Amino acid sequence: MAILLVDELTKRYRNGTLANDNLSLAVEPGEVYALLGPNGAGKTTLVRQVLGLLKPTSGRIHVDGVDVVADPKYARRAIGFLPQAQFAMEAIQVGELVYGIARLRGLDAGEARRRTDELLDELDLGPFRGTQLRSASGGIRRLAAFATAVVGHARFLVLDEPTNDVDPVRRQLLWSRLAAFRREGTTVLLVTHNLAEAERVIDRFAIIDHGRILREGTPAALRSLVTDRLRLEVTTTEAFGGAHPALQPDPATPGAYLFDHSDLAAVSAWVQAAHESGELVDFRIGPPTLDDIYTVTVGDPRREAVGAAK
Ligand code: ADP
């Protein structure tokens, strides 16, 4: 049985915004399932309904087979979650916060202390144990929130953008913790912009836009969508006169482009000429990344056709 079942879910806000549009998905026990999509795609709206914090306009959501639209408290008890919103308790210290939440989730004092120490150590938050939230950086607050989401040994975690604002070194620690959850069989629903980093810990992902799922599958299956493309990354100088028309810019990475295999000869000739004329100081042509699937699906002018085909 799926641990999370979302069936024909529609959410229309009072102001008329259609944030989730007849959306269905299932997350199996032990899966790490990622939701990816541009700002405003409807990811947080979906997450808030799964957590029982927001009522759907129509459709069904089951967690462990329990109808959480009818019983929203079940979802909040069963799921360890990291919301987008920040904490109200600004004066509390990072260590106290994690320990306090562990106790609230039912761990006894010894276990809560052990688990807090373990997590602070694993996320390299030890130096910030005594730091009050109000004087911690955005990234440290985010990591503290992550620690509170995972401290209670929930079997199912819902994490909304856990890596936002987190520095690169601690971001790697966070991904390692997620990889460990996967090995341990914890189910995770993860909202992330960072597919390249997420790739090694996710089992499946869905690309959402305008409240609908455009694509869903394993990283390997979705990679096959971009096998006819190549990726070009360039470092330009002030002399740069603009990219070859066959190059589709990657909106997420300045200086990165996608192009069709069939344009390789033309693009190579252009790169060579631009390099010789001093417009490019560096360039690299390689296979597409997982992020390029996102570019192709959401950033492509043919996107309307993808949506319309459903
Ligand atoms: P994402 O998490 O993918 O960025 P959201 O779920 O936050 O997307 O938002 C989806 C859409 O719903 C957006 O158009 C957003 O402006 C709108 N929206 C979000 N919250 C509300 C709200 N409380 N009232 C009205 N519209 C909202």
Side-chain angles (χ1 to χ4, degrees):
M1 183 181 65
I3 200 162
L4 171 66
L5 193 71
V6 174
D7 187 30
E8 300 189 344
L9 183 71
T10 292
K11 177 64 191 180
R12 190 182 284 281
Y13 285 108
R14 277 204 204 99
N15 68 1
T17 303
L18 185 60
N20 288 167
D21 182 7
N22 200 35
L23 196 151
S24 301
L25 61 86
V27 179
E28 301 300 325
E31 242 188 339
V32 178
Y33 188 105
L35 293 172
L36 184 82
N39 287 333
K43 305 179 298 292
T44 296
T45 300
L46 171 62
V47 162
R48 288 176 54 80
Q49 292 171 102
V50 168
L51 295 170
L53 300 170
L54 188 67
K55 224 174 161 49
T57 305
S58 63
R60 285 157 299 278
I61 305 173
H62 288 189
V63 173
D64 298 330
V66 176
D67 175 353
V68 296
V69 178
D71 184 1
K73 279 198 187 125
Y74 182 84
R76 290 200 290 278
R77 270 202 313 273
I79 301 173
F81 70 99
L82 168 62
Q84 270 291 333
Q86 292 287 3
F87 296 104
M89 301 176 291
E90 292 286 298
I92 198 168
Q93 294 173 0
V94 168
E96 284 171 353
L97 173 74
V98 178
Y99 174 78
I101 299 284
R103 294 285 285 152
L104 275 178
R105 298 261 168 78
L107 273 59
D108 68 38
E111 173 71 357
R113 201 165 302 287
R114 197 184 58 72
R115 184 81 182 124
T116 299
D117 290 348
E118 210 174 78
L119 270 172
L120 294 187
D121 188 43
E122 219 174 318
L123 300 170
D124 194 23
L125 278 177
F128 300 93
R129 175 186 281 270
T131 304
Q132 290 189 352
L133 281 182
R134 65 172 156 222
S135 44
S137 70
I140 296 303
R141 295 161 67 102
R142 200 85 199 124
L143 277 169
F146 175 82
T148 64
V150 307
V151 74
H153 291 304
R155 285 179 309 113
F156 182 22
L157 298 171
V158 174
L159 307 172
D160 197 347
E161 297 280 5
T163 59
N164 263 10
D165 302 327
V166 176
D167 66 75
V169 172
R170 288 192 174 83
R171 213 157 60 214
Q172 289 313 317
L173 298 176
L174 201 147
W175 288 118
S176 302
R177 178 69 289 214
L178 283 166
F181 281 131
R182 186 188 188 194
R183 285 195 302 276
E184 293 158 12
T186 303
T187 311
V188 183
L189 177 67
L190 170 73
V191 176
T192 181
H193 276 105
N194 208 330
L195 202 50
E197 286 186 359
E199 179 172 10
R200 66 192 174 87
V201 308
I202 63 181
D203 294 296
R204 279 193 302 151
F205 69 95
I207 297 179
I208 298 190
D209 197 15
H210 297 296
R212 305 176 66 165
I213 293 182
L214 301 184
R215 308 265 192 206
E216 187 190 35
T218 63
L222 288 169
R223 252 181 201 289
S224 68
L225 293 172
V226 288
T227 47
D228 60 339
R229 308 282 182 115
L230 288 168
R231 183 178 176 85
L232 168 69
E233 291 181 14
V234 296
T235 309
T236 56
T237 66
E238 285 186 349
F240 185 59
H244 188 277
L247 296 170
Q248 179 193 350
D250 171 356
T253 317
Y257 302 88
L258 282 181
F259 63 96
D260 282 344
H261 255 290
S262 56
D263 290 320
L264 179 57
V267 169
S268 301
W270 173 80
V271 165
Q272 192 177 1
H275 188 235
E276 281 168 7
S277 71
E279 291 177 52
L280 304 182
V281 287
D282 193 16
F283 59 87
R284 184 154 38 117
I285 292 177
T289 67
L290 205 55
D291 275 324
D292 293 329
I293 295 157
Y294 177 76
T295 309
V296 167
T297 304
V298 177
D300 193 298
R302 290 170 293 179
R303 172 168 69 91
E304 295 311 321
V306 176
K310 291 197 78 171

